[in-house]
Amino acid sequence: MLTQEQIEQLEAFDAQGARVLSVYLDLDPASQIRRSYRIAFEDLVKALRARLEGQEQADLSREVERVQTWLDSQDPRGKGLAVFSCTPRGLWHASFFAVRVMNHLAFEPTPDVAPLLRLVDEYERYAVAVVDKERARLFTVFLGEIEEMEEFKDFVIGKHRQGGVSDARYQRHHETHVYWHLKRVAQRLAELHRRRRFDRLILAGPEEATTELRRVLPRALAHRVAAVIPAEVFASEREILDKTLEVERRIERESEERLVRQLVDLAGPGGRAILGVRPTLAALWADLVQTLVVAHSVRGDGSECPNCLRLEPGRVESCPTCGAAMRHLHDIYHRAMERAVDQAGSVEVVYGEAERHLVDVGGGLGALLRYASPVPQAAVR
Ligand SMILES: [Zn+2]
């Protein structure tokens, strides 16, 4: 994972007239089996090379070779990859991510960090407090990984006097100690929040402890509680991470389903949303898309006009708008996502239930629009 500091260093890097190759590759499990991310990389290089000339092409080839050699030597880890390379200025940086990134290539005077900034922007940071009556372990989880961790134990006297004889005064004493301990946990969480600005909080542990902790949380933290789950205070980091990602996925799925319902509600003549492959591509062409919504599994080729940038599904010989010869694209959905990002819009890929719904109502593609739609909705699909 890249730290904020590393991103800032890349952002400030000056290639002094040379160019930096920035590579982002989606390493989803399907593409790792056949190493097909290598093919995606080669396709991106081909498209980029076509836009360069003479010396620039030679400079690109040098960096591409370096990246290819490195890719051959690596077993892919995680779900995404970013590489920055500028041989003449001694820049080399490679990071694997536990989250997916969109395939993307740039060869420019500075590293292209925009996709990294988008990741940081789009993902929520979670804090997890694993507690019992005397121990606490606090974690932050960001971009699919544990980012920070601290643990502590407070002195709590037992429920019973030595010898096991129950005593009401001893019992009260014990409860007070537990209360102090959980108060301290709440305090540490507040400090963590000042440092790391987490969006959501998960409380984990035996029910008695999590219930009491929830009661003593300051209000700013209480309303961030996303889940309260049973757990052992000694649970492994892997278990804690898995549980956190499970909560995160559930919350994401719910928000994706809301988004698709919103598309359906707002679509229609003069509405603020659009559904269907062809109308959505038309809205992209007209620079109307605020949020492009794409079903995760949709695939299909398409055509792009090099002159007016119109996008069409399938093979189209000449542009319906300007008549220029269109270029064939292997993946029209990926091109649509790039286009949305270029136009300062955002992209939401939806999975599961939301994905099925979007395929049903819009062939897997739709968008929230910046303005009410002047694009005719008749040609859905
Ligand atoms: Zn055209």
Side-chain angles (χ1 to χ4, degrees):
M1 180 160 63
L2 272 162
T3 62
Q4 187 64 37
E5 242 178 1
Q6 287 172 310
I7 297 177
E8 280 163 17
Q9 276 168 11
L10 283 167
E11 229 177 345
F13 180 82
D14 181 3
Q16 297 159 26
R19 285 179 179 233
V20 181
L21 178 64
S22 308
V23 183
Y24 293 86
L25 292 176
D26 180 356
L27 301 178
D28 82 292
S31 87
Q32 289 188 23
I33 295 167
R34 290 163 284 117
R35 290 203 162 217
S36 62
Y37 56 90
R38 291 289 316 264
I39 298 161
F41 177 57
E42 281 156 28
D43 280 352
L44 290 169
V45 170
K46 226 178 282 171
L48 180 62
R49 193 189 305 275
R51 298 200 295 270
L52 302 174
E53 346 208 288
Q55 186 56 43
E56 286 174 352
Q57 286 191 345
D59 291 346
L60 174 67
S61 299
R62 184 191 57 225
E63 304 303 330
V64 164
E65 244 173 67
R66 192 181 186 196
V67 173
Q68 261 163 346
T69 308
W70 181 81
L71 277 177
D72 286 340
S73 74
Q74 293 290 316
D75 278 328
R77 300 191 292 275
K79 297 182 179 163
L81 166 68
V83 182
F84 303 92
S85 176
C86 176
T87 311
R89 301 288 173 262
L91 173 70
W92 174 262
H93 180 100
S95 285
F96 287 100
F97 301 106
V99 297
R100 297 180 66 173
V101 297
M102 223 162 91
N103 289 333
H104 175 66
L105 215 61
F107 192 52
E108 293 178 352
T110 54
D112 184 1
V113 295
L116 291 177
L117 298 175
R118 266 201 310 280
L119 275 187
V120 170
D121 216 51
E122 276 164 24
Y123 276 83
E124 293 191 306
R125 178 175 277 114
Y126 280 67
V128 188
V130 190
V131 291
D132 69 5
K133 288 162 138 193
E134 56 182 13
R135 286 187 184 75
R137 298 163 71 205
L138 309 183
F139 299 83
T140 58
V141 173
F142 189 47
L143 299 177
E145 292 174 56
I146 290 179
E147 188 185 37
E148 191 180 325
M149 194 252 174
E150 64 171 292
E151 55 183 297
F152 58 92
K153 181 176 181 293
D154 284 311
F155 172 73
V156 174
I157 62 157
K159 266 186 188 178
H160 308 289
R161 197 191 281 277
Q162 218 131 54
V165 187
S166 178
D167 176 323
R169 199 170 56 90
Y170 233 85
Q171 173 75 21
R172 269 200 312 281
H173 214 121
H174 165 78
E175 279 162 14
T176 309
H177 275 228
V178 171
Y179 172 80
W180 283 341
H181 164 63
L182 293 170
K183 269 293 237 200
R184 199 154 90 93
V185 174
Q187 223 170 49
R188 290 280 193 103
L189 278 171
E191 282 160 23
L192 184 61
H193 184 245
R194 275 193 290 278
R195 203 163 64 238
R196 287 286 189 182
R197 288 283 144 204
F198 52 82
D199 304 283
R200 297 181 194 270
L201 173 60
I202 295 172
L203 309 181
E207 202 189 331
E208 289 172 287
T210 51
T211 307
E212 180 68 10
L213 174 58
R214 193 171 194 173
R215 240 171 34 80
V216 300
L217 281 178
R219 198 197 303 225
L221 295 184
H223 81 248
R224 287 173 202 275
V225 174
V228 181
I229 53 180
E232 275 288 331
V233 77
F234 297 112
S236 72
E237 288 186 18
R238 186 70 244 179
E239 278 172 78
I240 288 159
L241 181 60
D242 285 345
K243 283 189 176 182
T244 307
L245 297 181
E246 215 173 277
V247 171
E248 188 174 3
R249 264 195 300 276
R250 173 175 60 73
I251 290 171
E252 270 170 26
R253 295 297 164 267
E254 284 164 6
S255 102
E256 288 165 10
E257 282 167 37
R258 266 199 307 280
L259 179 62
V260 174
R261 281 199 300 274
Q262 197 188 3
L263 284 182
V264 174
D265 289 346
L266 295 177
R272 285 287 300 273
I274 203 148
L275 283 167
V277 176
R278 210 178 284 275
T280 305
L281 294 177
L284 271 172
W285 178 77
D287 198 1
L288 287 170
V289 170
Q290 185 171 59
T291 304
L292 185 74
V293 189
V294 188
H296 165 244
S297 62
V298 289
R299 296 284 179 278
D301 67 344
S303 306
E304 179 177 45
C305 174
N307 181 42
C308 74
L309 299 180
R310 182 162 172 159
L311 296 171
E312 286 283 321
R315 264 186 201 274
V316 177
E317 291 306 320
S318 54
C319 173
T321 308
C322 74
M326 290 189 100
R327 233 188 345 236
H328 182 247
L329 301 168
H330 291 289
D331 186 348
I332 187 78
Y333 296 94
H334 183 256
R335 193 77 193 91
M337 292 196 267
E338 285 181 328
R339 189 68 72 78
V341 169
D342 286 348
Q343 294 171 355
S346 61
V347 174
E348 284 287 342
V349 178
V350 299
Y351 300 78
E353 199 50 50
E355 172 176 8
R356 282 187 285 280
H357 192 184
L358 184 58
V359 169
D360 280 351
V361 296
L365 199 63
L368 291 174
L369 304 176
R370 300 184 208 276
Y371 325 101
S373 148
V375 184
Q377 293 257 345
V380 170
R381 259 170 187 269

